[in-house]
Amino acid sequence: ISTSLSSAFLRRWYTDIDTRPVTMLSTARTIVRRTAIGLTGTAAVGAAAVTAYAYTDQGAGFQREARFWSQVFPVVADYYIRTASSSPYVKLQSYISNGDEDDEETRRRKRQQTLDELHERHAPDMLQVMLDLKGLYIKLGQVLSVTALPVPEPFRVRFRTLQSDVPGWEEFDSVVKPTLEEEFGRPIEEIFEWIDPEP
């Protein structure tokens, strides 16, 4: 009896060992597959919800923020890639030029030259972001053009144009005048002697 029990036990043990890895592997694959499908579905529904929200009146701020980051992120990434010591590009350049044995002053001069090139390249981009987004962004540019903060000169020069050469937001006759007349309930000629259409 003990021989038949032990042989039955061993037979069952080896059978379980042989099938256990297959079962665990297929279970793991199923879990991974279902998780991937769930995450993909959640991401799709989330993206649709965010897009729908962005195009409502309440989502206008989110839409402006998305526009801001879609225009500013490439600039920030370019500065990071070209100048940050943790950037793979900078590490590669350092590795390649390791044989040059540049002194500290030469490295500092090269970095400053790279920064100057980046400032010249991206100052027009940042000015355009401010003009596109208007409002507070234009005010920020005006402040940065005259502040004592260490703002690079190419940015200051571009932002100084925001002091006096900001394009108008709306046309006076098509937007401003009808809005004033609607708010006051009568033609503006009856209320004011004269209104300058260009503030």
Side-chain angles (χ1 to χ4, degrees):
I1 218 171
S2 70
T3 309
S4 65
L5 277 176
S6 65
S7 66
F9 174 76
L10 288 173
R11 199 172 32 247
R12 189 167 190 206
W13 172 255
Y14 286 122
T15 305
D16 285 349
I17 288 176
D18 291 340
T19 60
R20 192 174 302 136
V22 172
T23 305
M24 288 177 59
L25 184 60
S26 65
T27 303
R29 285 182 181 157
T30 303
I31 290 171
V32 168
R33 188 179 311 116
R34 287 182 182 170
T35 303
I37 291 170
L39 289 175
T40 303
T42 302
V45 169
V50 166
T51 302
Y53 174 72
Y55 286 99
T56 63
D57 290 337
Q58 295 85 10
F62 176 77
Q63 191 176 17
R64 280 174 58 102
E65 187 174 334
R67 281 181 44 208
F68 171 80
W69 283 111
S70 69
Q71 293 175 328
V72 171
F73 181 76
V75 174
V76 173
D78 195 21
Y79 273 92
Y80 169 76
I81 290 169
R82 302 276 312 275
T83 62
S85 61
S86 61
S87 161
Y89 176 79
V90 171
K91 288 181 178 181
L92 177 65
Q93 293 299 330
S94 175
Y95 178 76
I96 290 172
S97 66
N98 196 15
D100 295 346
E101 300 291 330
D102 291 336
D103 62 342
E104 186 65 30
E105 182 62 33
T106 305
R107 283 194 299 270
R108 189 176 300 132
R109 194 172 47 250
K110 285 180 180 178
R111 185 172 190 280
Q112 187 59 48
Q113 181 181 0
T114 301
L115 282 171
D116 291 342
E117 291 170 7
L118 288 170
H119 297 332
E120 287 294 332
R121 180 184 319 147
H122 293 300
D125 299 336
M126 295 310 297
L127 176 65
Q128 192 58 49
V129 167
M130 291 177 176
L131 290 173
D132 289 347
L133 296 175
K134 300 180 173 79
L136 184 62
Y137 294 96
I138 289 177
K139 287 294 178 196
L140 176 64
Q142 290 170 342
V143 169
L144 289 175
S145 71
V146 295
T147 187
L149 294 172
V151 177
E153 192 59 29
F155 286 93
R156 281 186 193 276
V157 169
R158 300 286 183 173
F159 295 166
R160 280 189 197 119
T161 62
L162 297 173
Q163 297 292 342
S164 60
D165 297 335
V166 178
W169 285 16
E170 293 100 3
E171 294 291 323
F172 180 77
D173 291 327
S174 64
V175 177
V176 176
K177 185 177 176 182
T179 303
L180 289 174
E181 290 175 344
E182 182 181 333
E183 290 292 321
F184 289 121
R186 55 188 173 151
I188 60 172
E189 289 83 13
E190 294 178 6
I191 302 168
F192 302 105
E193 275 184 32
W194 178 78
I195 294 180
D196 187 2
E198 292 185 26

